[in-house]
């Protein structure tokens, strides 16, 4: 039989496919690719345009001065002014509520453009009180009411795209520009970086080496951004001010996760040190706690925040704020490599802050406002905390005022040559009213609760809000009701009542992407705060919860995000988050520590059963322990195969309303070497690597009422 | 109960009975299709197809191709089994064969860098087996079946035929695009196939693209447009296909670009037709209708020839068809009417979603050594249902004005028919959702088919689709023969036939006098049958217009939330969801904000499929 040319080619393709379908074949192909031998990957060889695209996700515009698009604004044909683009209306809420921007400033009026991210937007205060408005009020004290304008171009969530925005904003012919950004500057995900190095780092069991890759990547991105934007503005002789953001070091705590896979079976030692150090700290044995924390850092190479937090706590205990600051900054930076895996909140990493300090000032017309140093001075050496921050990075009105006063001082100096101290710019007119401040405090409570912060902090913001504006209680009550019922705010009667209340910031920030959550801690804080002003909602909330969510109505899926969001275990619950996360590693619950928390709504003493499908993927065999409301219930054997168990709970352990159920997992056998090889394979394939050891996996977990028992 | 409220209880801990290991005693096989378009999952338990659903219904990404993780969870829950109770996962195509085809595409001259990158990426991507293991945590056996074998099995094993000839035709799967075979009892054999790039599916998709419709979506539109045209270009289009002896044919690749470019057809097709391709959404004129008619005719002719060839090799009275082309109901009907076979079975999810069922059925045959139980397929209400108690709770917690007909089914039917007679359009969500591309009375929009304005009205209210596309009728099975030229049940809306009714049925009668009929009876859809009976009793018409409950571009509604959001976004007059009714005026104002949120949350890049070119990679 004569085979056609096409048949011959197909045979070749099939043989190659068979090879590529073997694990060695696919790995060899991938290594060829990532070695650069098959594909030209060198950024230098592609020129700056490609580097921008590759690193920052945008390219240099051909004619920045003639840009017809600036953010959500578009310049219609034959017009000099910019109008809000109707095609981008879904994004409008991320920007200032400005329908039109004049193409040029009016004659004799100075124009300052103000760019940045949610911090610069005035998150939680916007639209009533924003940094740009404050700055404008302050500058007018020097330039007169018609002498200056601040164009607010800050956008919620903007990252390195702020550079592209800054270049397009040249079309507004500004007299000066301020970029208040850096909290959303993150390194790429591991799959986008130098995979050959990442592969080697993992195969050599070195997460610290992987961390260095992330730091290098962030460093390159930050440098390129500042270089690109700085040169463009320098060329036009337009002064720039880069505002280096600060972080809420004292009050913000990242949820602590276990260490990732460590070399030489160090994970068990690390866990021992951690558990022991926590106890020592609680008992006031600071020196031992400190020693154990240092051992943890030595073992993990600084890739976990846990050791740094412990050291910071030890130093705070000894009133050593300087050392505490260093450790808290190290804790903030420790997880730079695992940001997406651990759902890390926005933050300025030290590496970006340092590059801003060094690079921005290399341009004659550029300056910096170093907020970490400025706030340190403002607080007389104290650590930044809830006085200045609403959460991890968003500022209180006090911080907005003082930082904008410093900005105003700098801008006045570069435009007029007059040096005035920042305190001269503090203005009573630039303060939010009591209601706006109260709304911000309540929103801060919600935001902190949804980011696993501690009860005391959440309660602080709730009670502060009520002290400022007791009438905000009606918002809190309805919000708690909405969460208790657990249906979308727009669908429920309570939600309708809530939305009709005249609280603009609440309306802007609370409902946009609202997904109902059990919010156990937050509703607890709300309930406690309301009680102090004579309002008791505990009974009514419990009634709503039971009507809507009790297991006596229908079985409860304990893995549902509504319930599990209250566990404060973001690493464990990331897979339940609606939408598609590139780091969705598996479609089931995976425990990364020795304790997992779950919640359900029950009636006191109600007969309750569980149906649990679990396995211990890294244990040949082991025993899990189940507790309800901290009362022991069962020990169940498990191994690496999925097994399903019917479990009856002791009814006397079931309380009225929200019940907490915990699973205590046995210590796994850490398969470090094999796991990190698999992780390296995964990143070569563009898949998320598994860098943390699973203590136990749960595929399904149901709680149901058992009336017959 | 929060910390501050926790009651102070100090019971002596009792010892609850020890936990009991729970193990399914049934043979549970999961079928999966994914990675191409219309990802789906099904559960066959002890030889019975228990559950099946497309991932798009849960993810709300039309034609979602991602691993059907939500659909799997649904199947496990519906079957009351756990991940450890799965005896086998059957995957619907052979990834190595598919990769071979993709690599061969990459070896073509003048291929774009982008496509080379994509193919190289495929070579380094994890296999579906690895993805199933890592995503689902599944560590049991995985059986791999070829794409067209899955299609063939999905049809034959559910057909109820003891023996049949089997024809599968689609765009492409792994290598094959058309296969010829036969089935006897539990055995299926293929004796011939046509390989990529020669594909009747691609021929039709290329014309779909040329006519300015979305590939993989707009093929229905070409079929609907065809009756408006004349086959003036049939000879020209026939020259695109070189029909060879036996089962073979070849596409004239000069006219097709899909092998190397991100478009289906080449410039040469435009030259041949002496007309540029239609710009999407632009005016449709007679030329486009004539091209549609011509393409439809050519497809039917080639299919008829190949069906005759198949009969010459397998002289059975029964024909089973599957694959995307088998969703061309006009061609199916012609094959049955004019071809040599007496009976035709088309599996209702004939496209790739149905591959999940076929693969699972083959795995069952392998393990159990026999065919599926409950054969032939009785219905496709295999998806999730909305519980009346959940609906009532949500409505009670809202400001919606609603009517509760719980325990009053007859009154609900009366109410609904009153509204239909008033000319109202009804969103009808009842029981388990349909599996496959058609709404068959579980997630439907219903209306009076006698109303000459109804087609335009529904288009204006919700569907926003092209005016030329017909709506389908649903008719009582017992009365179907009086109104349609149909001598057998058509429960899956997979055939067209001539409308012979004495009644004027303008809303469901196509320009050529045909209709795409669904028949129902009490055993498969009781409540819809009751509705039709009441309409018949009052009007003498046992027929309603039936179209899918979705907004344009959306998958068919699945959950209560989807149903509500579809109702809110559209201008449909009335929603009947299980025992509850909401009239348009009863919708709270703020629900429209929820609908905006619902819309905004939909876009999920990476999971949707391309509509400019068939999903080749």
């Amino acid at each position: 039989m004569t085979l056609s040319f096409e048949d011959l080619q197909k045979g070749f393709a099939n043989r190659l496919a068979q090879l590529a379908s073997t694990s060695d074949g696919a790995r060899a192909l991938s290594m060829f690719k990532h070695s650069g031998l098959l594909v030209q990957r060198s950024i230098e060889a592609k020129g700056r345009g490609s580097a921008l695209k590759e690193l920052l996700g945008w390219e240099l515009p051909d004619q920045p001065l003639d840009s017809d698009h600036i953010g959500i604004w578009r310049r219609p044909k034959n017009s000099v002014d910019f109008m809000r683009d109707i095609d981008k209306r879904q994004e409008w809420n991320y920007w200032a509520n400005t329908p039109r921007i004049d193409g040029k400033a009016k004659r004799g009026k100075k124009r300052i453009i103000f760019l940045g991210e949610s911090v610069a937007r005035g998150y939680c205060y916007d639209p009533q009180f924003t940094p740009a408005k404050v700055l404008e009020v302050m500058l007018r004290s020097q330039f007169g009411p018609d002498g200056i304008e601040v164009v607010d171009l800050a956008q919620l969530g903007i990252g390195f795209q702020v550079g592209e925005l800054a270049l397009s904003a040249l079309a507004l012919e500004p007299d000066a520009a301020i970029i208040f950004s850096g909290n959303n500057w993150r390194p790429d995900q591991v799959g986008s970086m130098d995979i050959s190095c990442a592969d080697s780092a993992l195969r050599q069991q070195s997460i610290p080496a992987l961390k260095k890759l992330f730091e290098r990547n962030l460093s390159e991105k930050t440098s390129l951004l500042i270089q690109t934007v700085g040169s463009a503005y320098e060329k036009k002789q337009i002064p720039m001010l880069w505002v280096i953001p600060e972080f809420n070091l004292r009050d913000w705590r990242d949820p602590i996760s276990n260490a990732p896979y460590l070399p030489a079976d160090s994970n068990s030692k690390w866990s021992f040190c951690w558990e022991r150090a926590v106890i020592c700290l609680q008992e006031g044995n600071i020196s031992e706690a400190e020693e154990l924390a240092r051992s943890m850092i030595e073992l993990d190479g600084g890739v976990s925040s846990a050791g740094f937090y412990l050291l910071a706590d030890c130093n705070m205990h000894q009133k050593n704020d300087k050392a505490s600051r260093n450790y808290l900054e190290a804790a903030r930076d420790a997880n730079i490599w695992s940001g997406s895996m651990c759902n890390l909140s926005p933050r300025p990493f030290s590496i970006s802050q340092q590059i801003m300090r060094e690079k921005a000032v290399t341009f004659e017309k550029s300056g910096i406002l170093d907020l970490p140093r400025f706030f340190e001075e403002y607080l007389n050496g104290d650590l930044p905390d809830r006085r200045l921050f609403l959460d991890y990075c968003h500022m209180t009105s006090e911080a907005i005022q003082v930082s904008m006063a410093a900005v105003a001082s700098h801008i006045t100096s570069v435009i007029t040559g007059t040096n005035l101290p920042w305190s001269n710019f503090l203005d009573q007119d630039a303060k939010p009213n009591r209601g706006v401040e109260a709304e911000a405090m309540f929103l801060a409570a919600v935001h902190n609760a949804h980011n696993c912060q501690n009860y005391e902090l959440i309660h602080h913001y709730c009670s502060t809000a009520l002290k400022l504006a007791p009438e905000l209680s009606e918002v809190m009550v309805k919000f708690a009701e909405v969460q208790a019922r657990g249906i979308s705010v727009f669908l429920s009667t309570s939600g309708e009542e809530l939305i009709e209340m005249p609280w603009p910031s609440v309306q802007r920030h609370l409902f946009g992407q609202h997904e109902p959550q059990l919010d156990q801690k937050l509703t607890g804080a709300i309930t406690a705060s309301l009680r102090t002003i004579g309002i008791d909602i505990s009974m009514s909330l419990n009634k709503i919860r039971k009507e809507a969510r009790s297991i006596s109505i229908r079985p409860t899926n304990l893995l549902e995000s509504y319930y599990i969001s209250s566990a404060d275990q973001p690493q464990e619950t990331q897979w339940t988050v609606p939408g598609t996360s590139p780091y969705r590693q598996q479609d089931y619950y995976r425990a990364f520590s020795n304790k997992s928390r779950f919640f359900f709504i029950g009636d006191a003493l109600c007969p309750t059963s569980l149906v649990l499908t679990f396995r211990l993927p890294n244990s040949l065999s082991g025993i899990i322990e189940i507790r309800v409301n901290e009362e022991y219930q069962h020990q169940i054997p498990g191994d690496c195969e999925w097994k399903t168990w019917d479990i009856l709970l002791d009814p006397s352990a079931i309380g009225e309303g929200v019940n907490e159920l915990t699973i205590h997992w046995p210590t796994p056998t850490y398969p470090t070497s094999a796991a990190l090889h698999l992780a390296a394979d995964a990143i070569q394939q563009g898949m998320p690597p598994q860098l943390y050891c699973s203590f136990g996996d749960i595929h399904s977990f149901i709680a149901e009422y058992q009336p017959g028992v | 109960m929060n910390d501050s409220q926790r009651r102070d209880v100090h019971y002596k801990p009792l010892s609850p009975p020890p936990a009991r290991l729970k193990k399914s005693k049934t043979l549970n096989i999961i079928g999966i299709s994914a990675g191409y378009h219309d990802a789906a999952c099904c559960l066959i338990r002890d030889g019975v197809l228990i559950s099946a659903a497309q991932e798009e219904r849960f993810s709300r990404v039309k034609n979602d191709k991602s691993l059907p993780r939500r659909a799997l969870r649904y199947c496990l829950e519906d079957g009351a089994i756990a991940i450890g109770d799965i005896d086998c996962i059957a995957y619907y195509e052979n990834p190595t064969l598919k990769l071979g085809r993709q690599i061969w595409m990459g070896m073509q001259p003048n291929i774009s860098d982008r496509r080379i990158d994509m193919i190289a990426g495929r070579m380094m991507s994890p296999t579906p087996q690895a993805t199933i293991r890592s995503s689902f945590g599944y560590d049991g056996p995985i059986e791999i079946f070829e794409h067209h074998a899955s299609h063939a099995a999905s049809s034959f094993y559910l057909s109820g035929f003891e023996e049949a000839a089997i024809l599968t035709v689609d765009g492409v799967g792994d290598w094959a695009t058309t296969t010829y075979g036969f089935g006897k009892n539990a055995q299926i054999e293929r004796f011939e196939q046509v390989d990529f790039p020669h594909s009747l599916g691609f021929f039709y998709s290329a014309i779909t693209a040329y006519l300015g419709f979305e590939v993989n979506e707009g093929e229905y539109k070409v079929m609907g447009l065809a009756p408006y045209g004349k086959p003036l270009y049939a000879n020209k289009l026939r020259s695109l296909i070189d029909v060879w002896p036996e089962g073979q044919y070849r596409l004239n690749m000069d006219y097709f670009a899909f092998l190397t470019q991100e478009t289906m057809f080449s410039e040469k097709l435009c030259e041949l037709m002496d007309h540029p391709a239609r710009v999407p959404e632009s005016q449709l004129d007679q030329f486009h209708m004539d091209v549609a008619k011509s393409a439809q005719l050519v497809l039917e002719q080639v299919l008829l020839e190949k069906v005759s060839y198949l009969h010459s090799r397998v002289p059975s009275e029964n024909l089973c068809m599957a694959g995307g082309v088998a969703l061309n109901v006009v061609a199916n009907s012609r094959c049955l009417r004019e071809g040599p076979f007496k009976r035709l079975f088309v599996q209702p999810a004939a496209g790739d979603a149905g591959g999940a069922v076929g693969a699972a059925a083959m795995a069952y045959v392998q393990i159990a050594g026999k065919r599926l139980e409950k054969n032939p397929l009785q219905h496709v209400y295999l998806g999730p249902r909305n519980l009346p108690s959940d609906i009532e709770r949500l409505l009670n917690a809202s400001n919606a004005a609603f009517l509760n007909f719980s325990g009053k089914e007859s009154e609900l039917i009366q109410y609904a028919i009153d509204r239909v007679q008033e000319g109202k359009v009804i969103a009808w969500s009842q029981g388990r959702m349909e599996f496959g591309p058609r709404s068959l009375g579980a997630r439907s929009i219903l209306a009076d088919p006698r109303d000459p304005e109804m087609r335009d009205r529904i288009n204006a209210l919700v569907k926003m689709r092209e005016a030329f596309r017909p709506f389908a009728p649903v008719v009582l099975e017992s009365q179907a023969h009086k109104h349609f030229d149909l001598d057998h049940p058509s429960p899956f809306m997979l055939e067209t036939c001539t409308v012979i009714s004495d009644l004027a049925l303008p809303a469901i009668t196509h320009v050529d006098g045909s209709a795409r009929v669904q028949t129902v009876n009490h055993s498969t859809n009781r409540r819809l049958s009751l509705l039709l009976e009441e309409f018949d009793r009052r009007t003498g018409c046992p027929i309603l217009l039936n179209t899918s409950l979705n907004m344009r571009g959306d998958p068919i509604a699945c959950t209560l939330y989807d149903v509500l959001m579809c109702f809110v976004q559209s201008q449909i007059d009335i929603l009947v969801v299980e025992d509850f009714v909401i009239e348009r005026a009863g919708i709270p104002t703020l629900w429209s904000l929820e609908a905006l949120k619902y819309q905004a949350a939909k876009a999920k890049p990476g999971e949707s499929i391309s509509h400019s070119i068939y999903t080749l990679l």
Side-chain angles (χ1 to χ4, degrees), chain B residues 152-173:
Chain B
S154 76
S155 186
F156 177 65
Y157 287 137
L158 295 173
S159 69
F161 300 144
E162 284 187 13
E163 49 76 32
I166 305 172
L167 174 66
T168 64
V169 197
D170 71 358
V172 68

Side-chain angles (χ1 to χ4, degrees), chain A residues 10 13-14 17, chain B residues 36 93 95-108 119 147 171-177 195-197 202 259 614-617:
Chain A
K10 285 179 175 176
N14 280 335
Chain B
Y36 209 40
E93 69 181 6
T96 307
L97 285 178
K98 183 174 171 178
L99 183 61
R101 191 256 298 165
Q102 291 169 332
I103 291 171
W104 180 74
M105 287 172 68
M107 291 161 65
Q108 301 309 302
I119 292 168
H147 188 98
V172 68
D174 18 53
W175 271 113
T177 66
D195 278 352
F196 181 81
F202 280 0
L259 206 47
Y614 199 89
T615 316
L616 288 157
L617 297 178

Side-chain angles (χ1 to χ4, degrees), chain A residues 23-322:
Chain A
S23 56
D24 282 347
R27 194 178 295 141
L29 281 169
S30 179
M31 289 177 79
F32 264 123
K33 181 187 168 191
H34 297 304
S35 68
L37 290 171
L38 295 185
V39 186
Q40 174 59 272
R41 298 186 80 252
S42 162
I43 287 171
E44 289 75 15
K46 293 179 183 175
R48 158 114 25 120
S50 293
L52 275 172
K53 182 78 183 158
E54 207 157 306
L55 276 173
L56 304 183
W58 48 272
E59 286 171 301
L60 281 175
D62 294 335
Q63 297 291 334
L65 279 176
D66 295 332
S67 176
D68 287 329
H69 290 88
I70 301 170
I72 53 167
W73 294 272
R74 187 171 62 83
R75 179 157 50 191
K77 258 188 186 164
N78 306 320
S79 170
V80 289
D81 299 333
F82 288 81
M83 312 297 291
R84 214 155 37 175
D85 188 350
I86 193 75
D87 291 340
K88 295 190 174 176
R89 61 186 174 280
Q90 290 200 336
E91 296 171 41
W92 286 9
N93 224 22
Y94 299 141
W95 300 77
N97 186 15
T98 311
R100 169 201 181 103
I101 301 173
D102 292 342
K104 285 182 175 181
K106 292 205 167 56
R107 187 181 294 272
K109 196 180 227 182
K110 298 289 181 192
R111 168 171 278 187
I112 312 300
I113 56 172
F114 187 80
L115 300 88
E117 57 214 5
S118 53
V119 181
R121 208 32 295 116
Y123 188 66
C124 294
Y125 293 99
D126 182 30
Q128 302 165 96
F129 176 80
T130 66
K133 284 180 186 169
V134 172
L135 179 62
E136 191 170 73
V137 168
M138 289 173 170
L139 287 171
R140 282 179 179 173
S141 69
Q142 292 300 316
F143 292 84
D146 296 319
I148 198 159
E149 65 175 352
V150 176
V151 180
D152 187 350
L153 297 176
Q155 182 202 359
L156 288 183
I158 197 167
F160 283 108
Q161 300 290 339
V162 75
E164 187 180 32
L165 179 68
L167 296 188
S168 65
L170 282 168
L172 293 174
E173 300 183 20
D175 295 289
I178 298 147
I179 297 188
F180 188 173
S181 196
N183 284 293
N184 294 328
W185 295 356
R186 289 180 172 231
D188 291 329
Q189 287 169 3
V190 64
S192 311
M193 278 189 276
D194 188 335
I195 288 178
S196 57
C197 292
D199 179 274
S200 288
L202 291 176
R203 292 188 199 281
Q204 290 169 41
Q205 302 184 21
S206 177
I207 305 276
L210 189 68
K211 185 181 171 189
K212 282 202 166 57
L213 283 177
F214 281 84
E215 288 170 343
R216 188 177 73 179
N217 176 263
L218 181 59
S219 162
E220 283 175 357
K221 289 169 82 166
T222 309
S223 297
L224 186 60
L225 174 81
I226 295 172
Q227 180 64 35
T228 307
V229 176
S231 356
Y233 275 72
E234 190 82 352
K235 204 169 156 189
K236 300 288 170 200
Q237 290 293 293
I238 299 169
M240 286 195 77
L241 177 67
W242 297 84
V243 182
I244 303 172
E246 172 61 311
F247 190 71
N248 182 357
L249 291 171
R250 186 190 293 273
D251 282 323
W252 185 263
R253 288 293 163 110
D254 290 331
I256 301 291
S257 64
N258 244 313
Y261 286 112
L262 302 177
D265 299 326
S266 303
N267 283 90
S268 302
K269 285 182 217 158
W270 190 95
S271 296
F272 170 80
C273 292
W274 185 20
E275 284 165 24
R276 179 76 197 133
V278 170
I279 293 168
C280 288
L281 194 59
Q282 281 167 354
E283 291 173 348
N285 184 352
I286 304 301
S287 60
E288 190 179 345
E290 215 167 346
E291 194 178 322
L292 289 161
R294 288 188 201 287
S295 299
M296 288 167 67
I297 295 166
E298 198 173 314
L299 289 168
D300 68 32
V303 299
S304 165
S305 57
F308 293 119
Y309 275 135
L310 282 164
L311 284 175
D313 286 340
C314 290
N315 279 280
M316 275 196 261
H317 204 268
Q318 296 161 328
K319 311 281 184 211
N320 185 352
D321 273 4
K322 190 75 190 164

Side-chain angles (χ1 to χ4, degrees), chain A residues 358-372:
Chain A
E358 290 166 5
K359 275 263 175 190
V361 294
T362 60
F363 298 99
E364 192 191 333
K365 290 279 180 183
S366 289
I368 56 167
L369 171 59
D370 191 340
L371 281 186

Side-chain angles (χ1 to χ4, degrees), chain B residues 290-308:
Chain B
D290 294 340
V291 171
K293 178 69 181 177
S294 306
Q296 179 66 26
L297 187 69
V298 170
L299 177 76
E300 290 169 14
Q301 286 171 344
V302 177
L303 273 180
L304 263 173
E305 287 175 47
K306 296 307 174 191
V307 162
S308 297

Side-chain angles (χ1 to χ4, degrees), chain A residues 9-10 14 488 491 493 496 514 538 553-554 580 587 615 629 634 642 644 646 654 656 658 685 699, chain B residues 1 5-7 17 20 22 69 73 82 104 124 135 137 175 196 390 393 397-398 588 594 597 607:
Chain A
Q9 263 194 337
K10 285 179 175 176
N14 280 335
S488 181
L491 296 182
T493 309
E496 281 204 35
H514 175 268
S538 52
I553 290 172
R554 63 174 305 181
T580 307
D587 193 48
R615 69 178 180 186
N629 300 325
H634 284 280
W642 293 111
T644 302
D646 275 329
I654 310 300
E656 184 75 6
V658 181
Q685 292 173 331
H699 201 273
Chain B
M1 187 164 68
Q5 287 175 286
R6 192 170 298 287
R7 78 206 153 79
R20 195 166 48 86
K22 191 178 176 188
R69 54 191 187 81
R73 284 208 169 261
W104 180 74
M124 290 169 250
S135 292
W175 271 113
F196 181 81
D390 288 347
R393 242 191 331 275
S398 76
E594 184 68 25
K597 197 177 101 182
E607 295 182 354

